[in-house]
């Protein structure tokens, strides 16, 4: 119980390689600089700021496709820059890693449109270059527009996407941890042996979705498997997340619901042979903070003049696959089955929700819980929420950028530190070690273990792994 109370808050900045990420409309604020998202200096400055604030990571969301459900088109999406334009997140990482030492990077990649080989190679390369500061947010997509862009026929069935994800992960584990032994690379100039051939193995995979045969092209990196993030919330999604993920995002609802969700996540992890502490749970939040409570309210009111709740609804429409423009403001939105984000559409089954309700929720153009107050008030609330719900940390959205990060670092972080609930220095090692404090690589109770080559594992599980015969 004492440990639980003393838990230090983990913190990621939640962002995307675009103008409007979550809090839509704020790009029009005179002090907002998110229109500079296509400049490298925008990101290197942000990385340095976050490292000064001892943030654990910069978590970068991504979508394949565009938001075209609202009003059956993309006019509002384009005008308000609702995640359009948006650029590839992995292109930012090396530059930000070069100006920081400890900040980590969680990068979203939709596995539905990648071959595991190319993806695994890119992320293993990033793990090398960042010295183990890379994480992967595993997503399977929820947009029909993506399918059309890629030339497919429409979204695969929701649960089938998770089945494919399971096989994608299995194959990635083989590449990352089953092909090269830890000490394969010798770099021995005198003996002319860069890599010992007896320590590199062929992987074989003949699955329903993927086939692969050969050796992985990347030597072992610090973490081997990048730190795994996931946000599945449907029954199938939670099963997947609790089997594989080390960090799980959940939607920030009422504290009782969050607590219930966290309990389920930890119980499911245990059922799958992992420990309840093998998963860190994060909740998304938006914060408006100032020197005093009144000044924070004043700041919120000022921001509200620029925010666009309607743009928030257009974003929400694509998350659910429901064109919300068709409904009157006070009409209950009927539940309809869709292949998008199941956990969100289910809410229309459980509750009567109108567009007015959604607009009220999207005060700053986004649907994350909004916390407004002085540094002390915000810090107290975050600690309270963490202790009440047993979560581990927060994904902090941006509002007016980069002002909101500066405000949080100046006003909230010191209050958390004074209460002993936030680090005063970074831990050493990889992202995984910083978060779990037990080494750079996944523990043995993780499903990756079945795909590891020696010296990790000499068990019979490895019938698929063969030595290269020179
Ligand atoms: C904090 C958070 C961040 C997410 N980021 C992304 C993202 O960047 N890209 C994406 O395609 N889906 C993203 N999702 C959606 C999830 O991948 C997933 O589809 C969703 O949580 C619903 O899970 P379900 O399909 O199991 O209901 C995010 C979800 C949450 C809660």
């Amino acid at each position: 119980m004492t440990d639980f109370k003393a838990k230090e808050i983990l913190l990621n900045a939640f962002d995307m390689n675009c103008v409007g990420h979550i809090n839509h409309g704020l790009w029009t604020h005179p002090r907002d600089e998110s229109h500079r998202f296509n400049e490298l200096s925008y990101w290197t400055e942000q990385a340095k700021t976050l490292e000064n604030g001892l943030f654990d990571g910069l978590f970068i969301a991504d979508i394949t496709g565009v938001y075209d459900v609202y009003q059956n088109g993309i006019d509002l999406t384009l005008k308000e820059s609702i995640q359009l334009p948006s650029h590839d997140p992995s292109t930012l990482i090396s530059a930000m890693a070069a100006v920081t030492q400890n900040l980590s990077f969680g990068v979203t990649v939709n596995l539905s449109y990648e071959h595991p080989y190319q993806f695994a190679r890119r992320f293993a390369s990033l793990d090398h270059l960042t010295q183990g500061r890379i994480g992967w947010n595993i997503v399977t997509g929820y947009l029909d527009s993506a399918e059309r862009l890629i030339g497919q026929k429409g979204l695969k069935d929701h649960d089938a996407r998770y089945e494919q994800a399971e096989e994608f992960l299995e194959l990635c584990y083989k590449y990352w941890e089953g092909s090269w032994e830890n000490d394969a690379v010798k770099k021995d100039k005198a003996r002319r042996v860069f890599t010992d051939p007896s320590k590199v193995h062929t992987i074989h995979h003949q699955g329903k979705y993927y086939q692969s045969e050969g050796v992985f092209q990347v030597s072992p990196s610090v973490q081997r498997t990048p730190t795994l993030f996931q946000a599945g919330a449907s029954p199938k999604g939670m099963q997947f997340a609790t089997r594989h993920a080390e960090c799980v995002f959940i939607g920030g609802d009422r504290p009782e619901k969050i607590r219930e969700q966290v309990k389920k996540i930890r119980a499911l992890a245990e059922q799958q042979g992992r420990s309840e502490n093998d998963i860190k749970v994060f909740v998304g939040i938006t914060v408006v903070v100032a020197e005093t409570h009144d000044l924070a309210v004043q700041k919120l009111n000022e921001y509200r003049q620029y925010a666009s709740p309607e743009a928030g609804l257009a974003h929400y429409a694509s998350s659910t696959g429901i064109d919300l423009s068709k409904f009157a403001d006070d009409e209950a939105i009927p539940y309809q089955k869709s292949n998008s984000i199941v956990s969100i559409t289910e809410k229309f089954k459980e509750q009567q929700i109108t567009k007015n309700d959604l607009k009220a929720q999207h005060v700053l153009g986004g649907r994350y819980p909004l916390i407004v107050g002085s540094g002390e008030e915000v810090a107290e609330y975050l600690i309270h929420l963490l202790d009440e719900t047993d979560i581990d940390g927060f994904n902090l959205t941006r509002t007016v950028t980069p002002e909101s990060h500066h405000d949080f670092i100046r006003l909230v972080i010191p209050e958390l530190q004074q209460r002993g609930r936030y680090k005063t220095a970074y831990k050493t090692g990889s992202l995984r070690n910083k978060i779990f404090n037990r080494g750079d690589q996944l523990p043995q109770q993780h499903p990756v273990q079945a795909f590891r080559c020696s010296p990790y594992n000499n068990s019979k599980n490895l019938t698929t792994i063969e030595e290269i015969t020179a």
Side-chain angles (χ1 to χ4, degrees):
M1 204 62 183
T2 328
D3 279 355
F4 168 71
K5 286 281 176 230
K7 216 154 63 168
E8 272 184 2
I9 289 178
L10 297 172
L11 190 63
N12 292 314
F14 189 32
D15 210 328
M16 186 162 162
N17 194 356
C18 69
V19 179
H21 174 213
I22 296 290
N23 295 310
H24 296 293
L26 290 175
W27 68 276
T28 59
H29 191 289
R31 293 194 298 277
D32 187 89
E33 293 186 22
S34 59
H35 57 273
R36 287 182 49 220
F37 83 100
N38 61 340
E39 295 170 26
L40 214 45
S41 60
Y42 171 82
W43 293 100
T44 50
E45 282 159 21
Q46 182 173 160
K48 284 190 269 186
T49 298
L50 296 175
E51 186 156 270
N52 282 337
L54 302 176
F55 275 61
D56 296 284
L58 169 62
F59 180 84
I60 314 179
D62 191 40
I63 54 167
T64 305
V66 297
Y67 292 154
D68 61 358
V69 173
Y70 193 75
Q71 298 169 335
N72 196 25
I74 60 167
D75 287 3
L76 188 66
T77 299
L78 286 166
K79 282 187 191 156
E80 282 290 351
S81 200
I82 308 167
Q83 303 187 357
L84 179 67
S86 78
H87 299 181
D88 187 317
S90 58
T91 55
L92 305 171
I93 306 306
S94 291
M96 290 193 289
V99 297
T100 53
Q101 260 94 53
N102 287 291
L103 184 72
S104 293
F105 308 97
V107 180
T108 301
V109 175
N110 182 337
L111 59 84
S112 302
Y113 310 123
E114 298 259 350
H115 190 279
Y117 185 77
Q118 302 289 48
F119 163 76
R121 187 177 181 219
R122 195 163 76 246
F123 267 60
S125 307
L126 281 171
D127 199 47
H128 273 286
L129 292 175
T130 60
Q131 293 182 299
R133 290 188 280 148
I134 196 81
W136 172 31
N137 179 31
I138 310 163
V139 302
T140 62
Y142 55 87
L143 296 173
D144 267 320
S145 61
E147 298 283 316
R148 294 193 297 276
L149 279 163
I150 302 291
Q152 296 182 11
K153 292 271 178 304
L155 272 182
K156 279 196 191 72
D157 173 70
H158 176 270
D159 289 3
R161 297 204 296 270
Y162 280 115
E163 183 190 88
Q164 182 173 356
E166 191 65 44
E167 193 184 324
F168 191 104
L169 265 277
E170 181 180 317
L171 183 47
C172 285
Y173 293 150
K174 289 181 183 177
Y175 295 135
W176 286 325
E177 312 225 13
S179 189
W180 292 59
E181 292 183 30
N182 278 343
D183 61 346
V185 175
K186 301 294 182 198
K187 295 185 191 165
D188 186 337
K189 290 190 179 182
R191 290 176 52 230
R192 302 196 68 85
V193 176
F194 191 86
T195 302
D196 178 349
S198 71
K199 291 179 181 288
V200 180
H201 309 276
T202 300
I203 70 108
H204 304 279
H205 186 90
Q206 292 296 323
K208 177 172 170 186
Y209 297 94
Y210 307 106
Q211 290 77 44
S212 180
E213 183 90 14
V215 297
F216 192 43
Q217 266 171 280
V218 188
S219 59
S221 60
V222 177
Q223 299 183 104
R224 285 194 172 241
T225 297
T227 299
L228 300 173
F229 293 68
Q230 226 275 323
S234 59
K236 198 84 181 170
M238 278 179 71
Q239 197 72 29
F240 177 82
T242 54
R243 181 167 151 74
H244 297 281
E246 303 167 85
C247 301
V248 170
F249 296 135
I250 59 173
D253 219 310
R254 285 170 288 121
E256 319 82 77
K257 280 203 85 175
I258 297 176
R259 174 148 192 90
E260 209 179 289
Q261 183 89 342
V262 175
K263 249 183 155 168
K264 255 193 233 164
I265 289 169
R266 301 210 192 282
L268 277 168
E270 283 191 324
Q271 278 171 30
Q272 310 203 63
R274 302 175 71 196
S275 133
E276 60 166 18
N277 298 319
D278 285 353
I279 296 184
K280 302 289 183 193
V281 185
F282 292 78
V283 162
I285 48 164
T286 297
V287 170
V288 177
V289 62
E291 282 72 9
T292 65
H293 181 86
D294 289 349
L295 285 173
V297 173
Q298 213 171 302
K299 191 182 283 184
L300 172 69
N301 288 333
E302 194 228 340
Y303 284 5
R304 282 183 78 166
Q305 294 169 37
Y306 300 93
S308 170
E310 194 188 12
L313 255 56
H315 181 172
Y316 194 91
S318 277
S319 301
T320 55
I322 303 168
D323 179 0
L324 298 171
S325 72
K326 287 187 178 153
F327 303 100
D329 281 351
D330 57 356
E331 190 182 349
I333 298 157
Y335 167 77
Q336 57 189 68
K337 189 171 163 29
S338 93
N339 261 329
S340 300
I341 303 185
V342 164
S343 44
I344 302 184
T345 51
E346 290 291 310
K347 284 191 183 149
F348 295 108
K349 234 193 228 172
E350 295 159 12
Q351 303 161 33
Q352 293 258 310
I353 303 173
T354 65
K355 246 163 67 175
N356 276 338
D357 296 331
L358 292 177
K359 278 186 192 160
Q361 193 190 353
H362 287 74
V363 173
L364 284 185
R367 62 174 181 271
Y368 284 72
L370 177 59
I371 304 158
V372 183
S374 65
E376 191 181 349
E377 287 168 332
V378 173
E380 292 280 350
Y381 180 78
L382 296 181
I383 291 168
H384 171 74
L385 192 61
L386 194 108
D387 292 345
E388 272 292 281
T389 59
D390 193 25
I391 58 169
D392 300 282
F394 299 96
N395 262 359
L396 179 69
T397 68
R398 57 177 165 86
T399 57
V400 172
T401 309
E403 176 172 296
S404 64
H405 289 324
H406 290 296
D407 286 348
F408 194 91
I409 291 167
R410 185 170 53 89
L411 298 168
V412 183
I413 300 283
E415 298 286 345
L416 292 172
Q417 286 171 327
Q418 270 171 35
R419 290 162 178 76
R421 302 305 295 266
Y422 194 79
K423 61 180 132 9
T424 50
Y426 280 110
K427 293 197 182 79
T428 55
S430 61
L431 165 56
R432 180 171 288 118
N433 190 58
K434 283 185 170 71
I435 294 182
F436 291 97
N437 204 18
R438 59 179 185 197
D440 295 325
Q441 292 166 18
L442 276 163
Q444 295 204 350
Q445 63 265 32
H446 189 276
V448 74
Q449 185 65 17
F451 305 101
R452 283 174 163 158
C453 60
S454 66
Y456 287 121
N457 193 344
N458 289 313
S459 79
K460 294 189 192 80
N461 282 339
L462 294 169
T463 46
T464 54
I465 294 169
E466 235 171 47
E467 283 197 1
I468 294 178
T469 43

